[in-house]
Amino acid sequence: MAFGLYYARSHISMTNISSNIASRLLRQRLPRVCVAVIGKNPAEMVTKAEDFARDNPFIEFRLDYLPQPVALFPKLKGFVEYHPHVNMIATCRRANNGGRFKGSVAAQVDILVKAAAAGCQLIDIELESATQLKAASWEKLRKTGAAIILSFHDFRSTKNLDKTYQKMCTYPADFIKVVSTAQELHDNVEMMKFLERRSDERPVIGLCMGEQGLISRLLSMRAGSAFTFGAASAGEETGPGQILARTLRETFRIDQLDVSTRVYGVVGDPISHSLSPVIMNTGFRRENFNAVYLALHAKTIQDLMACVRDIPIHGLSVTLPYKEAILKYLDRTDQMTTKIGACNTVIRSQDGKLYGFNTDVAGVIRPLEQRMALLGAKILVLGAGGAARAAVFGLKDRGADVYIMNRTAGTGQKLAKQARAKFIQRKQLSKLTFDCIINATSVGMDGDLGKEKEQPLLTEKELNTKFIFEMVYTPAETKFVKMAQAKGIPVIFGSEMFVHQGARQFEIWTGKPAPVDEMQRVVHHALAQRGQAGKK
Ligand code: ATR
C-alpha cells in the first residue's frame, strides 16, 4: 500500500480536521494573486518581495532559483518583521519536477521546514516528492504549523485531473494544486469543470499553463481555485504562459472577477500581437462594466466554438483567419455582414444564439465622416480582400463614389460589380484626383516590409488626394504614410480605424457609448511602447 494512503487513513481524523480549519481561514484572507518571486541571490529576492509587499501581499519565494536556498532565511526573518501582513509560500521545486533544485527529497523537506520557521505560512511540495516521504518527514512538515500545498504539474497535457486529484487526496495536505498544460482552448474548460467539482471537497488550486491557458489563469478562481499565480516581471515567469501579476490586477481586474463577470475575447491565429485586450479592458474598466476580455489563440474554429458554448463567452472580436469561417456557426448576421461575407464581431444572446456583425465598416466610416461628407466623396480603395470589402460596401452605403484598384484585376472587378463601384487600372491613376485613397491591402504590414521594398503601392505622382487612409497600424509609419507626409497630405492612421471598429464592438456588447478617447490613448501608448521595444 502506498504510504500516502496509509497515512491519510490513519491520521485523517485529527490532522486533517485541524488543518482544514486552518487552511479555510487562510483561504478566506488570501489575496487572489500570488506573485512568484525569483532571484539570483537572497538580497535580490527580498528586494523584489519588498517591491510587491504593499500592492500584492502574497508572495511565492522560489527557493529553487537560489544557489543556496537556506541563505535566504536570515533575510526573510527581517522581511517578515517589517511586513507581517504578507502571506508567503516557500517552494523549492526539484529539477526532476520542473524546478531547479538539484538536492534530495530529504534536503527539500529540510529547506521547507526552515522556511516555515523563518515565517512562511505555506509550503509547497510536489506530488513526486510526497510519494517518497516517510512518516517522519510528513510529521516534520506538519509540525511546522505551515499549510502544506501538495502540487502536481503536467507539462504536456490536460488529462486525468480527477485521477490525479484522488491520488493527491491520500496525502495530508491543506491545498491540492493541480497544474496542467492547455493544448487547446477547451482544456481550460476541463480544468474549470474539475475545479467546480472538487473545490467544495477541499481547498484546490488549479490552472492551465501555456499560451492556450490564459482563460484558466484568469477564470479558475470563479470555478473554485483558492488563488492563482502571476509573474513578478517580464522574463521572470516561473511557468509557461504565466501572466504578470500587475497585468492580472490592472488590465484584467482579477480582484473583481465573479460569477456574473461577462467574458469576451479576440480570436485569431496568431493573436499575441493584438491590442484588442488593451483597448477593451480599458473600456470595460472606464465604464464600470463587469466584463473581462481575453486574447484567444484558437488553432481550430471547432475548439473556439466549444468554448463559446461551455464557458460561456458573451462576445467575440474575430480576426484572421476566422472572419469568413465563423459565418456558418452564427444564427444570424446583419445585412452588411452578409454582403461583405466576413464577420469581425459576435454577440451571444441570453438564449445562446450567436449574432454576427462587421464593425470594420464603422472603423473606416467614422474617421472619414469626422473629416468629410461621404455623400458623393470620391474614394479610391486599394485592395479587394476582406478589409477592402468592408470599406467598399460601407462607403457605398453612405453614398460615396467608390473606385477600386487591385493587384489581381479579376478579384477587384468582381468586388466592383457586387458593390456597384468602379474598377480602375493603375495607368488611369495619374489622371484622377480623390478625396481619399485607402490602403486596404496588406502591403506595409510588419511581416510584409520586404515586398513593399520591391514594389511600392503607389508612386508619389499617383497620390492625387486630399487624405490618405492607411489601414495597416503596425508599423504606424508605412512607406505609404511616409510618401503622403512628404507630399503634405494628411494621414488617417490605421490605429484610428482599429479604435473605431473596437468602439463599435463595445457599443454592440454593452449598449453604452464607448470611451473612444481613452481607447485611442491606450493604443497610442501601447504602439509607442512597441516601437521603443522594436528599436532596442
Ligand atoms: P484582408 O482580409 O486583410 O483584406 P486579404 O483578404 O488577404 O486580407 O487581402 C489582401 C489584399 O492585399 C488583396 O487585395 C491583395 O491583392 P490580390 O487580390 O492581388 O492578392 C492585396 N495585396 C497583398 N499583397 C500585395 C502586394 N504585394 N501588392 C499589391 N497588393 C497586395
Side-chain angles (χ1 to χ4, degrees):
M1 186 190 293
F3 166 74
L5 211 59
Y6 166 76
Y7 188 96
R9 282 191 189 146
S10 58
H11 292 75
I12 199 157
S13 52
M14 241 189 62
T15 326
N16 269 14
I17 287 174
S18 61
S19 70
N20 271 349
I21 293 168
S23 65
R24 214 165 280 153
L25 284 175
L26 207 48
R27 184 160 63 137
Q28 272 168 11
R29 64 181 178 87
L30 284 175
R32 287 190 160 188
V33 181
C34 178
V35 193
V37 170
I38 63 172
K40 287 193 286 294
N41 54 58
E44 188 188 321
M45 219 179 223
V46 170
T47 305
K48 284 184 194 163
E50 303 267 357
D51 291 344
F52 281 100
R54 217 187 64 179
D55 292 340
N56 203 122
F58 190 12
I59 292 167
E60 179 188 37
F61 288 96
R62 284 298 300 255
L63 304 172
D64 50 315
Y65 280 70
L66 294 171
Q68 292 286 338
V70 288
L72 177 75
F73 302 138
K75 284 197 183 304
L76 198 59
K77 281 184 183 157
F79 174 79
V80 174
E81 229 166 82
Y82 282 99
H83 306 283
H85 65 292
V86 175
N87 299 285
M88 296 175 295
I89 304 177
T91 300
C92 191
R93 183 99 51 245
R94 295 187 72 219
N96 293 349
N97 311 324
R100 299 198 173 184
F101 184 62
K102 301 241 171 64
S104 65
V105 173
Q108 182 186 25
V109 168
D110 191 48
I111 288 167
L112 293 177
V113 168
K114 287 182 173 140
C120 290
Q121 306 92 330
L122 302 103
I123 49 180
D124 176 308
I125 188 154
E126 56 269 24
L127 178 61
E128 294 85 343
S129 294
T131 55
Q132 295 179 41
L133 289 191
K134 301 248 162 57
S137 300
W138 274 113
E139 210 47 55
K140 262 168 80 180
L141 287 175
R142 298 241 39 115
K143 267 196 181 154
T144 62
I148 299 176
I149 302 174
L150 182 63
S151 60
F152 176 74
H153 296 77
D154 180 341
F155 289 94
R156 274 203 282 272
S157 60
T158 299
K159 58 179 189 216
N160 303 328
L161 298 177
D162 287 291
K163 214 167 130 191
T164 308
Y165 167 84
Q166 274 155 355
K167 183 175 174 197
M168 294 172 89
C169 283
T170 62
Y171 295 92
D174 300 292
F175 290 85
I176 301 286
K177 175 181 170 186
V178 180
V179 177
S180 65
T181 297
Q183 295 290 355
E184 54 174 24
L185 294 175
H186 202 264
D187 284 339
N188 292 280
V189 177
E190 297 306 323
M191 174 56 79
M192 292 191 289
K193 283 185 179 164
F194 158 74
L195 291 165
E196 273 166 13
R197 279 194 299 276
R198 300 300 186 178
S199 57
D200 279 345
E201 295 171 10
R202 53 197 300 165
V204 192
I205 303 149
L207 57 90
C208 296
M209 295 183 286
E211 189 211 9
Q212 305 261 313
L214 172 70
I215 300 173
S216 67
R217 283 192 181 275
L218 277 157
L219 301 184
S220 62
M221 253 157 326
R222 64 179 198 179
S225 182
F227 53 88
T228 192
F229 289 84
S233 67
E236 298 199 331
E237 297 81 4
T238 57
Q242 198 174 60
I243 308 164
L244 293 190
R246 190 159 40 90
T247 307
L248 287 173
R249 290 198 322 270
E250 291 174 10
T251 306
F252 295 113
R253 295 182 295 162
I254 196 162
D255 289 319
Q256 275 122 62
L257 290 187
D258 57 27
V259 281
S260 54
T261 302
R262 288 169 171 245
V263 181
Y264 296 86
V266 55
V267 59
D269 181 16
I271 201 62
S272 55
H273 65 286
S274 176
L275 290 180
S276 294
V278 177
I279 63 165
M280 289 303 184
N281 285 310
T282 299
F284 290 155
R285 187 178 55 224
R286 181 73 183 221
E287 293 304 311
N288 237 339
F289 189 65
N290 187 6
V292 66
Y293 186 99
L294 316 173
L296 305 170
H297 182 182
K299 290 182 193 156
T300 67
I301 197 151
Q302 290 78 9
D303 179 27
L304 169 73
M305 297 322 289
C307 288
V308 169
R309 190 188 56 230
D310 290 345
I311 290 180
I313 294 175
H314 290 82
L316 286 172
S317 307
V318 186
T319 183
L320 297 176
Y322 298 125
K323 285 187 180 188
E324 285 105 35
I326 197 143
L327 287 171
K328 73 170 186 200
Y329 295 89
L330 305 178
D331 294 289
R332 262 181 83 174
T333 51
D334 72 338
Q335 220 183 2
M336 185 59 90
T337 308
T338 312
K339 263 202 261 184
I340 296 166
C343 161
N344 79 328
T345 308
V346 176
I347 183 166
R348 184 181 191 276
S349 66
Q350 275 190 342
D351 59 1
K353 288 218 160 65
L354 301 177
Y355 298 102
F357 299 88
N358 192 313
T359 70
D360 285 336
V361 174
V364 179
I365 299 301
R366 288 182 178 182
L368 282 169
E369 276 179 340
Q370 286 168 2
R371 292 164 171 95
M372 65 185 77
L374 282 177
L375 186 66
K378 222 168 137 184
I379 314 268
L380 171 63
V381 177
L382 304 173
R389 290 179 69 84
V392 168
F393 283 108
L395 287 164
K396 280 298 292 180
D397 191 54
R398 300 298 159 112
D401 187 11
V402 181
Y403 293 71
I404 299 168
M405 194 179 98
N406 191 45
R407 180 178 60 181
T408 308
T411 328
Q413 280 161 338
K414 196 170 156 204
L415 174 58
K417 202 169 160 205
Q418 283 175 344
R420 295 169 197 266
K422 299 176 183 113
F423 179 78
I424 57 165
Q425 304 281 355
R426 187 154 182 180
K427 58 179 187 256
Q428 299 169 259
L429 264 190
S430 52
K431 293 180 220 116
L432 293 166
T433 59
F434 296 95
D435 291 302
C436 186
I437 299 180
I438 303 178
N439 175 27
T441 73
S442 48
V443 177
M445 267 163 73
D446 271 340
D448 219 10
L449 289 173
K451 281 187 208 158
E452 196 190 12
K453 244 182 232 164
E454 286 162 25
Q455 210 183 23
L457 251 184
L458 297 177
T459 62
E460 238 180 272
K461 247 175 53 199
E462 294 165 322
L463 224 52
N464 301 315
T465 179
K466 289 186 190 141
F467 290 91
I468 70 138
F469 191 147
E470 172 60 281
M471 281 195 182
V472 172
Y473 73 91
T474 47
E477 303 224 323
T478 60
K479 213 166 191 178
F480 185 53
V481 164
K482 283 184 195 149
M483 202 183 277
Q485 284 172 332
K487 260 188 111 172
I489 300 168
V491 175
I492 305 171
F493 285 95
S495 57
E496 208 175 319
M497 171 180 177
F498 173 68
V499 167
H500 280 286
Q501 62 80 33
R504 181 73 197 116
Q505 292 184 329
F506 185 95
E507 291 162 8
I508 290 172
W509 292 332
T510 66
K512 296 178 181 195
V516 180
D517 291 345
E518 180 74 1
M519 288 168 135
Q520 189 87 55
R521 197 185 57 74
V522 293
V523 166
H524 281 159
H525 181 69
L527 286 174
Q529 274 192 329
R530 251 184 215 181
Q532 276 162 11
K535 278 175 201 141
K536 272 180 198 161

